Amino acid sequence: IAVVSAIAVFQFSAAQPTIKGDGAMRVVLAQLNTARELAISQRRNMRLQFAGLNGLQIVRQDVPSGTTVVGSVVFESGAQYFPPPGLPDTPDGFGRTQPVDFGAATSVMFSSDGTCINQSGNPVNGTIYIGLPGQPLSSRAITVLGATGRIRGYRWTGSTWRRV
């Protein structure tokens, strides 16, 4: 029993970074999907605000003016935005120069038709990198295709990005 317990404890501790990375990725995927669905159903732009190292807000652009925060989350377990050092870009190839990489866009939002746009209303592709610092197997990436609003999640396997 002691040997089996020791093996189980070792396996669980080795799996923790993967579990924590998956949890943070699920939070971001859920928020992005929620923002897109709200933009379509409410016919309002939903801006994404990446706050600090580990926060994400959905802000509705009200008509004729003003904004309303409709959702806000903070990652748990030490996960944060960061580009994993030494890892390649995702298969989508949208960039990896910064933790939240939407090119030159200063504002990112979903429009009422579901596309992901920048501050000028032009479609913008991007990648959001998350994980635990110093834990490469916790690295996750979420890509957004601007023209369609398609959202994909990727998990780093140790040798390649694998689509989730």
Side-chain angles (χ1 to χ4, degrees):
I1 293 174
V3 171
V4 172
S5 296
I7 292 171
V9 168
F10 176 74
Q11 291 295 336
F12 181 73
S13 63
Q16 278 188 328
T18 301
I19 293 167
K20 290 177 181 180
D22 284 347
M25 180 178 62
R26 280 192 296 275
V27 167
V28 174
L29 286 171
Q31 289 298 299
L32 293 176
N33 283 315
T34 297
R36 185 172 186 273
E37 290 171 15
L38 286 172
I40 293 168
S41 66
Q42 295 182 11
R43 308 281 305 150
R44 301 284 180 267
N45 288 347
M46 297 290 170
R47 187 173 28 144
L48 303 171
Q49 291 183 329
F50 301 93
L53 294 175
N54 63 349
L56 176 58
Q57 283 188 329
I58 302 169
V59 180
R60 182 180 59 225
Q61 305 294 123
D62 295 327
V63 175
S65 64
T67 60
T68 303
V69 175
V70 294
S72 183
V73 296
V74 176
F75 306 150
E76 297 177 354
S77 305
Q80 58 185 312
Y81 300 114
F82 78 101
L87 301 187
D89 197 358
T90 65
D92 289 336
F94 295 155
R96 60 167 270 105
T97 60
Q98 50 194 349
V100 178
D101 194 338
F102 283 87
T106 57
S107 181
V108 178
M109 62 190 92
F110 285 102
S111 67
S112 60
D113 64 359
T115 59
C116 183
I117 59 174
N118 63 13
Q119 64 280 358
S120 302
N122 299 318
V124 62
N125 303 327
T127 306
I128 303 160
Y129 294 97
I130 54 176
L132 285 89
Q135 303 281 338
L137 291 178
S138 72
S139 298
R140 303 292 181 265
I142 295 101
T143 61
V144 182
L145 178 62
T148 62
R150 183 211 62 210
I151 302 163
R152 285 186 177 166
Y154 291 93
R155 174 185 298 129
W156 180 250
T157 65
S159 60
T160 187
W161 288 106
R162 185 171 168 220
R163 192 166 151 206
V164 180

